[in-house]
Amino acid sequence: MKAFQLIPAVAEYADFGTYAKEANLGANDLILTNEYIYSPVIEKLELGCQTLFQEKYGVGEPTDVMVDAILDELRDKKYDRIIAVGGGTIIDIAKVIAVANAEDKVDDLYDRMADLSKVHPLVIVPTTCGTGSEVTNISIINRTTKGIKQGIVSPAMFATEAALIPGMLASLPYGVFATSSIDAMIHAVESFLSPNACAISELFSERALDLILNGWKAAVASGDKNGWKKNAPEFLRASNFAGIAFGHAGCAAVHALSYPLGGVHHIPHGQANQLMFADVMRKYQAKKPIGKLNQLEEILAKHLDTEPVFALEALYKLMDDVLKKDPLREHGVTVDELPVFAKNVLETQQRLLNNNYVELTEEDILDIYKKAF
């Protein structure tokens, strides 16, 4: 088993101005963000930093085309640190830029993944409460030329610092909160059940679940779409803790099965995970009802006021209260695609499937898709 380690420094700041002052941001720094984040929060600070707005190069989750366009834009620019301020797309792109030489394209990084080195120091300021990517060393890119979403993984892609600023979540729309917090919950569950989990990573998984479940219950009980914001610091910490946990233990089948949904039908990552979560867990229960899954049920039961045997179903209901789960067909998925997806997952996602609670065959994976359809 690999030793548990937490490489990025993790710090909390009262606001972005406080962080900028302590970090002495200036002309040698590149802020990679979205203009809708930069304009109301960062622009007025007059930091003198260089800026690059991701949405000018493409929308949605990062693709090889989008990242290559950004790398082209940066080839002649001189800067030291990268300050990534945003959600999963911004963070994944920033990790690529941090290890890219001036002449690189995305495919070059995949080709020499084992030999990547950090070219620019990287600081990540997450603005959602789901990815946890500020403390992991992986970037997920949709390789459109190959038709798959695939990770670039390297120790060089760890950030120098993860800067947690709860106020950066203030303008987060409810839908993004819902999908991102669901993503964080799934990170916590998958890392807890992973055969690579250790006693320390389990602590982070459990604490993330504590914060998310209690925050969800309070938000649902408030009856207010903005009710979750009272617990924004807790959701941000939960996302970070879950990121620490899956950075060590890995994610598994839920993420593996969700990737074709995002790659082909452009379903947002957290929502794609939600569409697969319950049916993956039910398959786990059917194949191995006695095991570490029972420990997870006990953890969930404490927060969901039920018996362990009913805990997972109670979790699915709470998730539906946060964001209603729809059948795959309502997102444009066709029945003919299901066997193609199952085969593709088995062939391209072994990095994730190796972390499963129990081995899943191609027939198992197809059955999960059919149940979710």
Side-chain angles (χ1 to χ4, degrees):
M1 177 181 288
K2 65 178 180 179
F4 179 89
Q5 52 184 332
L6 176 56
I7 294 179
V10 180
E12 287 194 20
Y13 297 91
D15 50 48
F16 194 89
T18 301
Y19 161 68
K21 183 176 181 180
E22 291 194 23
N24 195 29
L25 296 190
N28 290 328
D29 297 309
L30 172 70
I31 296 180
L32 173 65
T33 188
N34 300 111
E35 194 163 9
Y36 65 83
I37 294 172
Y38 182 83
S39 295
V41 177
I42 304 174
E43 185 175 27
K44 63 186 177 183
L45 299 175
E46 299 182 348
L47 300 173
C49 300
Q50 301 175 61
T51 59
L52 189 146
F53 300 133
Q54 166 259 314
E55 61 267 35
K56 293 185 178 181
Y57 304 88
V59 296
E61 295 174 0
T63 67
D64 46 6
V65 175
M66 182 195 302
V67 180
D68 279 342
I70 290 173
L71 291 174
D72 285 341
E73 176 70 23
L74 293 174
R75 291 194 200 286
D76 297 325
K77 292 186 181 294
K78 304 297 181 184
Y79 55 93
D80 183 17
R81 289 179 296 188
I82 300 168
I83 315 300
V85 186
T89 295
I90 291 290
I91 295 171
D92 280 352
I93 294 170
K95 289 178 181 178
V96 172
I97 298 171
V99 299
N101 295 316
E103 68 279 4
D104 279 329
K105 289 188 173 292
V106 169
D107 285 346
D108 299 322
L109 303 180
Y110 281 100
D111 290 342
R112 68 169 201 275
M113 196 185 304
D115 300 314
L116 295 175
S117 59
K118 192 179 294 296
V119 178
H120 299 280
L122 173 62
V123 177
I124 298 175
V125 182
T127 61
T128 68
C129 51
T131 174
S133 187
E134 68 273 8
V135 287
T136 69
N137 65 333
I138 183 169
S139 174
I140 305 295
I141 305 296
N142 186 355
R143 303 184 75 181
T144 56
T145 57
K146 300 182 182 299
I148 58 172
K149 292 178 74 172
Q150 196 171 26
I152 304 177
V153 187
S154 170
M157 297 177 78
F158 277 117
T160 308
E161 179 179 331
L164 305 185
I165 306 172
M168 299 302 290
L169 273 60
S171 61
L172 199 65
Y174 181 82
V176 179
F177 155 73
T179 58
S180 61
S181 61
I182 285 170
D183 192 25
M185 186 279 296
I186 294 171
H187 289 160
V189 167
E190 292 206 294
S191 60
F192 183 82
L193 292 176
S194 168
N196 298 314
C198 68
I200 300 175
S201 71
E202 288 171 359
L203 290 175
F204 284 99
S205 298
E206 289 187 52
R207 184 57 177 149
L209 286 171
D210 291 346
L211 293 171
I212 292 167
L213 296 180
N214 288 334
W216 278 353
K217 289 195 301 182
V220 170
S222 74
D224 180 357
K225 286 292 187 182
N226 289 318
W228 69 271
K229 293 184 178 181
K230 295 179 181 178
N231 293 305
E234 287 75 20
F235 280 112
L236 185 59
R237 291 177 194 131
S239 173
N240 183 259
F241 295 162
I244 292 170
F246 89 78
H248 173 84
C251 292
V254 177
H255 277 71
L257 272 68
S258 79
Y259 281 156
L261 306 181
V264 176
H265 291 282
H266 309 295
I267 301 170
H269 174 69
Q271 187 173 20
N273 281 337
Q274 183 198 25
L275 297 177
M276 302 315 306
F277 179 71
D279 292 298
V280 168
M281 297 300 292
R282 287 171 179 141
K283 180 63 71 174
Y284 282 170
Q285 282 183 301
K287 296 196 72 170
K288 191 178 179 182
I290 307 300
K292 196 173 183 181
L293 190 65
N294 305 128
Q295 297 177 39
L296 174 66
E297 290 170 330
E298 291 176 3
I299 292 167
L300 297 175
K302 290 187 302 182
H303 297 286
L304 299 176
D305 303 317
T306 189
E307 297 297 319
V309 68
F310 304 121
L312 281 167
E313 292 298 326
L315 174 60
Y316 308 148
K317 182 182 182 305
L318 179 58
M319 290 172 68
D320 268 351
D321 289 339
V322 174
L323 182 69
K324 182 68 176 174
K325 174 181 177 288
D326 299 315
L328 295 181
R329 59 183 175 271
E330 294 190 13
H331 293 273
V333 179
T334 66
V335 69
D336 293 341
E337 290 177 306
L338 303 184
V340 178
F341 288 172
K343 183 178 179 62
N344 176 270
V345 165
L346 205 62
E347 290 178 348
T348 66
Q349 301 297 339
Q350 287 300 317
R351 176 184 65 84
L352 293 169
L353 296 177
N354 287 335
N355 302 323
N356 285 357
Y357 169 69
V358 63
E359 183 178 356
L360 298 178
T361 66
E362 186 173 338
E363 291 74 20
D364 290 329
I365 294 170
L366 179 56
D367 186 54
I368 292 168
Y369 277 129
K370 287 178 176 178
K371 292 287 199 306
F373 184 75

Tab-separated table of all heavy atoms in Angstrom, residues 135-175:
chain	number	residue	atom	x	y	z
A	135	VAL	N	-6.412	19.418	-4.525
A	135	VAL	CA	-5.431	18.631	-3.769
A	135	VAL	C	-5.091	17.308	-4.454
A	135	VAL	O	-4.543	16.411	-3.837
A	135	VAL	CB	-5.921	18.361	-2.326
A	135	VAL	CG1	-5.848	19.628	-1.485
A	135	VAL	CG2	-7.328	17.781	-2.307
A	136	THR	N	-5.418	17.173	-5.744
A	136	THR	CA	-5.098	15.945	-6.467
A	136	THR	C	-4.128	16.241	-7.612
A	136	THR	O	-3.913	17.395	-7.979
A	136	THR	CB	-6.362	15.272	-7.044
A	136	THR	OG1	-6.890	16.074	-8.104
A	136	THR	CG2	-7.421	15.085	-5.963
A	137	ASN	N	-3.564	15.181	-8.163
A	137	ASN	CA	-2.546	15.318	-9.212
A	137	ASN	C	-3.027	14.767	-10.545
A	137	ASN	O	-2.265	14.187	-11.304
A	137	ASN	CB	-1.254	14.607	-8.802
A	137	ASN	CG	-1.427	13.095	-8.689
A	137	ASN	OD1	-2.527	12.608	-8.423
A	137	ASN	ND2	-0.352	12.356	-8.887
A	138	ILE	N	-4.316	14.959	-10.818
A	138	ILE	CA	-4.896	14.455	-12.061
A	138	ILE	C	-5.716	15.538	-12.738
A	138	ILE	O	-6.365	16.361	-12.075
A	138	ILE	CB	-5.771	13.205	-11.796
A	138	ILE	CG1	-6.316	12.638	-13.113
A	138	ILE	CG2	-6.894	13.505	-10.806
A	138	ILE	CD1	-6.962	11.275	-12.956
A	139	SER	N	-5.647	15.554	-14.061
A	139	SER	CA	-6.460	16.446	-14.879
A	139	SER	C	-7.213	15.594	-15.885
A	139	SER	O	-6.616	14.756	-16.571
A	139	SER	CB	-5.559	17.451	-15.616
A	139	SER	OG	-6.298	18.246	-16.511
A	140	ILE	N	-8.530	15.773	-15.965
A	140	ILE	CA	-9.367	14.995	-16.885
A	140	ILE	C	-9.670	15.836	-18.116
A	140	ILE	O	-10.246	16.918	-18.009
A	140	ILE	CB	-10.685	14.559	-16.214
A	140	ILE	CG1	-10.410	13.788	-14.926
A	140	ILE	CG2	-11.515	13.718	-17.185
A	140	ILE	CD1	-9.695	12.473	-15.121
A	141	ILE	N	-9.275	15.333	-19.274
A	141	ILE	CA	-9.482	16.036	-20.534
A	141	ILE	C	-10.328	15.160	-21.458
A	141	ILE	O	-10.089	13.951	-21.570
A	141	ILE	CB	-8.135	16.337	-21.228
A	141	ILE	CG1	-7.191	17.119	-20.292
A	141	ILE	CG2	-8.361	17.101	-22.532
A	141	ILE	CD1	-7.681	18.489	-19.912
A	142	ASN	N	-11.297	15.762	-22.110
A	142	ASN	CA	-12.066	15.058	-23.145
A	142	ASN	C	-11.236	15.082	-24.425
A	142	ASN	O	-11.094	16.118	-25.075
A	142	ASN	CB	-13.417	15.739	-23.358
A	142	ASN	CG	-14.310	14.962	-24.315
A	142	ASN	OD1	-13.897	13.963	-24.895
A	142	ASN	ND2	-15.527	15.427	-24.480
A	143	ARG	N	-10.671	13.918	-24.768
A	143	ARG	CA	-9.844	13.825	-25.974
A	143	ARG	C	-10.774	13.589	-27.167
A	143	ARG	O	-11.072	12.458	-27.537
A	143	ARG	CB	-8.805	12.713	-25.823
A	143	ARG	CG	-7.919	12.900	-24.605
A	143	ARG	CD	-6.836	11.840	-24.516
A	143	ARG	NE	-5.763	12.086	-25.493
A	143	ARG	CZ	-4.708	11.286	-25.640
A	143	ARG	NH1	-4.606	10.180	-24.894
A	143	ARG	NH2	-3.771	11.571	-26.533
A	144	THR	N	-11.229	14.671	-27.739
A	144	THR	CA	-12.273	14.594	-28.765
A	144	THR	C	-11.809	13.808	-29.989
A	144	THR	O	-12.623	13.168	-30.657
A	144	THR	CB	-12.707	16.006	-29.193
A	144	THR	OG1	-11.564	16.741	-29.647
A	144	THR	CG2	-13.329	16.756	-28.022
A	145	THR	N	-10.524	13.851	-30.273
A	145	THR	CA	-10.028	13.123	-31.439
A	145	THR	C	-10.059	11.619	-31.221
A	145	THR	O	-10.054	10.845	-32.190
A	145	THR	CB	-8.587	13.557	-31.766
A	145	THR	OG1	-7.751	13.341	-30.615
A	145	THR	CG2	-8.552	15.016	-32.162
A	146	LYS	N	-10.109	11.203	-29.953
A	146	LYS	CA	-10.125	9.779	-29.635
A	146	LYS	C	-11.468	9.324	-29.070
A	146	LYS	O	-11.678	8.134	-28.847
A	146	LYS	CB	-8.994	9.448	-28.647
A	146	LYS	CG	-7.608	9.773	-29.182
A	146	LYS	CD	-6.526	9.389	-28.204
A	146	LYS	CE	-5.144	9.779	-28.737
A	146	LYS	NZ	-4.813	9.109	-30.005
A	147	GLY	N	-12.363	10.279	-28.783
A	147	GLY	CA	-13.693	9.943	-28.304
A	147	GLY	C	-13.751	9.456	-26.873
A	147	GLY	O	-14.688	8.745	-26.496
A	148	ILE	N	-12.755	9.831	-26.044
A	148	ILE	CA	-12.758	9.391	-24.646
A	148	ILE	C	-12.353	10.536	-23.723
A	148	ILE	O	-11.631	11.455	-24.123
A	148	ILE	CB	-11.800	8.191	-24.397
A	148	ILE	CG1	-10.362	8.561	-24.804
A	148	ILE	CG2	-12.274	6.957	-25.132
A	148	ILE	CD1	-9.332	7.509	-24.411
A	149	LYS	N	-12.840	10.481	-22.476
A	149	LYS	CA	-12.340	11.347	-21.419
A	149	LYS	C	-11.247	10.572	-20.689
A	149	LYS	O	-11.446	9.423	-20.296
A	149	LYS	CB	-13.456	11.736	-20.457
A	149	LYS	CG	-14.496	12.648	-21.072
A	149	LYS	CD	-15.616	12.980	-20.112
A	149	LYS	CE	-15.178	13.962	-19.055
A	149	LYS	NZ	-16.309	14.434	-18.227
A	150	GLN	N	-10.100	11.197	-20.515
A	150	GLN	CA	-8.950	10.472	-19.996
A	150	GLN	C	-8.121	11.374	-19.103
A	150	GLN	O	-7.997	12.577	-19.352
A	150	GLN	CB	-8.101	9.953	-21.163
A	150	GLN	CG	-7.105	8.880	-20.817
A	150	GLN	CD	-6.491	8.296	-22.071
A	150	GLN	OE1	-6.415	8.933	-23.113
A	150	GLN	NE2	-6.051	7.050	-21.991
A	151	GLY	N	-7.558	10.799	-18.061
A	151	GLY	CA	-6.782	11.567	-17.125
A	151	GLY	C	-5.310	11.663	-17.492
A	151	GLY	O	-4.721	10.718	-17.998
A	152	ILE	N	-4.733	12.828	-17.232
A	152	ILE	CA	-3.283	12.981	-17.189
A	152	ILE	C	-2.923	12.974	-15.703
A	152	ILE	O	-3.456	13.780	-14.928
A	152	ILE	CB	-2.822	14.302	-17.822
A	152	ILE	CG1	-3.326	14.427	-19.254
A	152	ILE	CG2	-1.298	14.412	-17.781
A	152	ILE	CD1	-2.968	15.753	-19.910
A	153	VAL	N	-2.039	12.086	-15.315
A	153	VAL	CA	-1.705	11.917	-13.898
A	153	VAL	C	-0.203	12.059	-13.716
A	153	VAL	O	0.572	11.391	-14.405
A	153	VAL	CB	-2.150	10.534	-13.369
A	153	VAL	CG1	-1.956	10.458	-11.851
A	153	VAL	CG2	-3.597	10.259	-13.734
A	154	SER	N	0.205	12.922	-12.794
A	154	SER	CA	1.633	13.098	-12.537
A	154	SER	C	1.824	13.789	-11.189
A	154	SER	O	1.080	14.720	-10.859
A	154	SER	CB	2.281	13.942	-13.633
A	154	SER	OG	3.598	14.311	-13.270
A	155	PRO	N	2.833	13.392	-10.411
A	155	PRO	CA	3.143	14.127	-9.178
A	155	PRO	C	3.439	15.600	-9.448
A	155	PRO	O	3.222	16.442	-8.576
A	155	PRO	CB	4.383	13.395	-8.638
A	155	PRO	CG	4.322	12.032	-9.229
A	155	PRO	CD	3.699	12.210	-10.582
A	156	ALA	N	3.910	15.915	-10.650
A	156	ALA	CA	4.227	17.299	-10.986
A	156	ALA	C	2.980	18.172	-11.060
A	156	ALA	O	3.080	19.411	-11.048
A	156	ALA	CB	4.971	17.351	-12.318
A	157	MET	N	1.797	17.544	-11.130
A	157	MET	CA	0.560	18.312	-11.282
A	157	MET	C	-0.069	18.701	-9.946
A	157	MET	O	-1.099	19.364	-9.928
A	157	MET	CB	-0.434	17.525	-12.140
A	157	MET	CG	0.094	17.297	-13.555
A	157	MET	SD	-0.995	16.302	-14.590
A	157	MET	CE	-2.222	17.522	-15.022
A	158	PHE	N	0.537	18.290	-8.849
A	158	PHE	CA	0.053	18.774	-7.559
A	158	PHE	C	0.252	20.282	-7.470
A	158	PHE	O	1.293	20.822	-7.875
A	158	PHE	CB	0.816	18.126	-6.401
A	158	PHE	CG	0.305	16.775	-6.007
A	158	PHE	CD1	1.111	15.656	-6.141
A	158	PHE	CD2	-0.964	16.619	-5.471
A	158	PHE	CE1	0.661	14.405	-5.757
A	158	PHE	CE2	-1.432	15.373	-5.092
A	158	PHE	CZ	-0.618	14.259	-5.231
A	159	ALA	N	-0.739	20.979	-6.918
A	159	ALA	CA	-0.589	22.411	-6.670
A	159	ALA	C	0.430	22.657	-5.568
A	159	ALA	O	0.677	21.789	-4.722
A	159	ALA	CB	-1.932	23.017	-6.278
A	160	THR	N	1.008	23.843	-5.592
A	160	THR	CA	1.860	24.271	-4.484
A	160	THR	C	1.004	24.581	-3.267
A	160	THR	O	1.368	24.249	-2.132
A	160	THR	CB	2.657	25.525	-4.899
A	160	THR	OG1	3.323	25.271	-6.130
A	160	THR	CG2	3.654	25.904	-3.816
A	161	GLU	N	-0.157	25.196	-3.511
A	161	GLU	CA	-1.075	25.538	-2.417
A	161	GLU	C	-2.511	25.455	-2.898
A	161	GLU	O	-2.816	25.819	-4.043
A	161	GLU	CB	-0.800	26.945	-1.884
A	161	GLU	CG	-1.752	27.365	-0.751
A	161	GLU	CD	-1.470	28.759	-0.211
A	161	GLU	OE1	-0.304	29.204	-0.267
A	161	GLU	OE2	-2.429	29.407	0.257
A	162	ALA	N	-3.377	24.967	-2.032
A	162	ALA	CA	-4.822	25.049	-2.225
A	162	ALA	C	-5.333	26.131	-1.284
A	162	ALA	O	-5.200	26.003	-0.065
A	162	ALA	CB	-5.488	23.717	-1.912
A	163	ALA	N	-5.878	27.197	-1.846
A	163	ALA	CA	-6.346	28.337	-1.052
A	163	ALA	C	-7.871	28.295	-0.975
A	163	ALA	O	-8.553	28.509	-1.979
A	163	ALA	CB	-5.870	29.644	-1.679
A	164	LEU	N	-8.388	28.006	0.203
A	164	LEU	CA	-9.829	27.881	0.394
A	164	LEU	C	-10.399	29.221	0.862
A	164	LEU	O	-10.019	29.730	1.925
A	164	LEU	CB	-10.148	26.786	1.414
A	164	LEU	CG	-9.567	25.397	1.146
A	164	LEU	CD1	-10.077	24.397	2.176
A	164	LEU	CD2	-9.894	24.926	-0.268
A	165	ILE	N	-11.319	29.773	0.068
A	165	ILE	CA	-11.939	31.064	0.377
A	165	ILE	C	-13.448	30.880	0.267
A	165	ILE	O	-14.013	30.933	-0.841
A	165	ILE	CB	-11.450	32.157	-0.596
A	165	ILE	CG1	-9.926	32.219	-0.615
A	165	ILE	CG2	-12.053	33.505	-0.220
A	165	ILE	CD1	-9.354	33.142	-1.683
A	166	PRO	N	-14.154	30.631	1.388
A	166	PRO	CA	-15.592	30.336	1.304
A	166	PRO	C	-16.407	31.385	0.563
A	166	PRO	O	-17.381	31.060	-0.118
A	166	PRO	CB	-16.006	30.238	2.784
A	166	PRO	CG	-14.755	29.787	3.484
A	166	PRO	CD	-13.641	30.478	2.759
A	167	GLY	N	-15.998	32.637	0.651
A	167	GLY	CA	-16.740	33.693	-0.023
A	167	GLY	C	-16.773	33.547	-1.533
A	167	GLY	O	-17.650	34.116	-2.191
A	168	MET	N	-15.843	32.773	-2.097
A	168	MET	CA	-15.830	32.575	-3.547
A	168	MET	C	-17.009	31.729	-4.018
A	168	MET	O	-17.270	31.642	-5.222
A	168	MET	CB	-14.516	31.934	-3.985
A	168	MET	CG	-13.273	32.767	-3.681
A	168	MET	SD	-13.292	34.411	-4.414
A	168	MET	CE	-13.099	34.034	-6.152
A	169	LEU	N	-17.724	31.108	-3.080
A	169	LEU	CA	-18.911	30.326	-3.431
A	169	LEU	C	-20.182	31.169	-3.429
A	169	LEU	O	-21.252	30.667	-3.781
A	169	LEU	CB	-19.102	29.172	-2.441
A	169	LEU	CG	-18.383	27.848	-2.734
A	169	LEU	CD1	-16.877	28.036	-2.783
A	169	LEU	CD2	-18.745	26.785	-1.689
A	170	ALA	N	-20.080	32.446	-3.058
A	170	ALA	CA	-21.275	33.252	-2.797
A	170	ALA	C	-22.216	33.355	-3.997
A	170	ALA	O	-23.437	33.366	-3.839
A	170	ALA	CB	-20.856	34.653	-2.340
A	171	SER	N	-21.662	33.420	-5.201
A	171	SER	CA	-22.514	33.602	-6.388
A	171	SER	C	-22.802	32.289	-7.103
A	171	SER	O	-23.344	32.292	-8.212
A	171	SER	CB	-21.845	34.573	-7.369
A	171	SER	OG	-20.598	34.059	-7.803
A	172	LEU	N	-22.483	31.172	-6.482
A	172	LEU	CA	-22.661	29.868	-7.122
A	172	LEU	C	-24.151	29.583	-7.326
A	172	LEU	O	-24.927	29.587	-6.371
A	172	LEU	CB	-22.037	28.786	-6.235
A	172	LEU	CG	-21.695	27.442	-6.867
A	172	LEU	CD1	-20.609	27.613	-7.916
A	172	LEU	CD2	-21.235	26.449	-5.797
A	173	PRO	N	-24.594	29.320	-8.557
A	173	PRO	CA	-26.012	28.988	-8.776
A	173	PRO	C	-26.367	27.669	-8.089
A	173	PRO	O	-25.505	26.796	-7.912
A	173	PRO	CB	-26.102	28.847	-10.301
A	173	PRO	CG	-24.891	29.504	-10.849
A	173	PRO	CD	-23.825	29.361	-9.815
A	174	TYR	N	-27.640	27.514	-7.760
A	174	TYR	CA	-28.052	26.315	-7.036
A	174	TYR	C	-27.708	25.041	-7.800
A	174	TYR	O	-27.231	24.065	-7.210
A	174	TYR	CB	-29.559	26.327	-6.740
A	174	TYR	CG	-29.971	25.082	-5.978
A	174	TYR	CD1	-29.802	25.018	-4.608
A	174	TYR	CD2	-30.474	23.958	-6.646
A	174	TYR	CE1	-30.135	23.866	-3.898
A	174	TYR	CE2	-30.807	22.809	-5.955
A	174	TYR	CZ	-30.637	22.768	-4.580
A	174	TYR	OH	-30.942	21.620	-3.883
A	175	GLY	N	-27.936	25.034	-9.108
A	175	GLY	CA	-27.675	23.825	-9.882
A	175	GLY	C	-26.226	23.393	-9.816
A	175	GLY	O	-25.920	22.194	-9.738
